[in-house]
Amino acid sequence: MTSLKGRTALITGGLTGQGLAIAQALAGAGANVAVGSYIGEGARQGDAAAYPAEAELQRVRAMLQAEGVKVHAGHLDVRSSEVIDAFIQAAQAACGPIDILVNAAGTTAEQPVSGHSDALWEKILDTNLTGAFRTTRSLLPGMIARGWGRIINIGSTAASVGWKDNPAYCASKSGLLGLTRCVALEGAPHGVTAVMISPTWVETELMRRNVAQVAEREGKGESLESAMARIAGQNPQQRIIQPGEVAGLAVFLCSEAAKGITAENIQITGGALW
């Protein structure tokens, strides 16, 4: 089994969805974990992000602490360098120097190009792409100085395949892949890897909210459950990828066995193109 005992991981978007699944898997492998998400609905601008409530903090903290590791959980807005730096300071005080960064915070909106206001476009790019840049900028120097680090960016098949009514999301994930490769080359001589995991649809609250937006825009009166089943049926494996599958790969990429895997875009699709 992979052991990450003695390591500390920071997971953005770590209170819900793929981020939470990855945090659980890393804690299960022995890593101390710091998880943060934007708490509350105040940031919503017509996007489909899953913004957890304050009560989720206590539930997630207790769940992760049950693994016997150090845990920090709190509000994190990756669009603010000041909030990021304060979160990192608190996380390192509670859990130790951060060796692993997982950029899982993300959002999208089901809109055509002309349906994106400047504010909505900028929010999606700022969260999905620039947010990952900000956290990486803060943590990469310490990883380089210590001679070990793992950076995992949660991308999407949208990085390489366009999708109608998702221009900001596709642009952000394409940009994230470029950032991943640059960080990988910068970290390579110093024991730091950077990899992007790009799944197709993953069954999370974000997916459910996004699919609800799709169904509403198409105006066919389709229920959310029917739309989810239709998406599952379009996948060659006739199913929707689960968060735990992404988490399992993330844990492996943090292991010593994966130290030669960097600058890659690894897809989890069940054979689907999108």
Side-chain angles (χ1 to χ4, degrees):
M1 293 180 65
T2 300
S3 175
L4 297 174
K5 187 174 178 60
R7 301 294 185 189
T8 295
L10 187 156
I11 304 96
T12 73
L15 297 177
T16 61
Q18 296 179 65
L20 177 56
I22 292 169
Q24 289 177 281
L26 290 172
N32 303 317
V33 290
V35 291
S37 295
Y38 194 102
I39 302 297
E41 295 277 324
R44 191 172 298 285
Q45 293 175 328
D47 58 308
Y51 296 106
E54 184 75 31
E56 286 297 286
L57 276 175
Q58 297 300 329
R59 185 185 71 82
V60 171
R61 184 181 293 114
M63 179 192 310
L64 296 173
Q65 286 175 335
E67 297 289 347
V69 299
K70 297 176 182 177
V71 175
H72 174 71
H75 171 76
L76 176 58
D77 183 358
V78 297
R79 297 172 301 158
S80 167
S81 294
E82 291 75 18
V83 174
I84 289 171
D85 289 344
F87 184 90
I88 289 173
Q89 184 176 6
Q92 293 192 140
C95 302
I98 294 168
D99 310 292
I100 297 165
L101 169 62
V102 180
N103 287 305
T107 190
T108 189
E110 190 71 17
Q111 289 287 348
V113 170
S114 59
H116 281 69
S117 64
D118 284 358
L120 180 58
W121 175 273
E122 289 165 5
K123 180 186 179 181
I124 294 171
L125 270 290
D126 203 12
T127 301
N128 297 0
L129 175 56
T130 311
F133 160 74
R134 292 188 183 103
T135 54
T136 301
R137 180 179 60 186
S138 293
L139 293 173
L140 181 60
M143 294 179 184
I144 288 175
R146 292 188 295 274
W148 196 95
R150 298 288 187 268
I151 297 173
I152 298 173
N153 294 322
I154 302 303
S156 167
T157 48
S160 54
V161 180
W163 188 256
K164 181 176 67 71
D165 294 340
N166 282 272
Y169 185 74
C170 291
S172 71
K173 295 304 184 180
S174 293
L176 187 60
L177 179 55
L179 174 64
T180 301
R181 288 171 171 159
C182 291
V183 172
L185 293 174
E186 187 171 340
H190 310 285
V192 179
T193 67
V195 178
M196 190 160 91
I197 299 176
S198 289
T200 181
W201 291 105
V202 180
E203 191 168 2
T204 63
E205 181 60 23
L206 172 62
M207 177 187 174
R208 295 179 69 84
R209 287 177 176 268
N210 190 198
V211 171
Q213 287 186 339
V214 174
E216 182 179 357
R217 280 188 57 79
E218 291 180 349
K220 299 177 182 178
E222 185 178 28
S223 69
L224 174 61
E225 290 70 23
S226 174
M228 295 283 285
R230 175 168 52 82
I231 289 171
Q234 291 169 347
N235 186 286
Q237 292 186 342
Q238 302 288 292
R239 68 186 187 92
I240 297 173
I241 302 298
Q242 297 301 301
E245 297 175 75
V246 180
L249 175 57
V251 171
F252 171 72
L253 290 172
C254 291
S255 72
E256 288 302 309
K259 63 184 177 182
I261 302 175
T262 194
E264 296 293 343
N265 179 33
I266 304 175
Q267 296 192 129
I268 302 177
T269 68
L273 294 177
W274 168 266

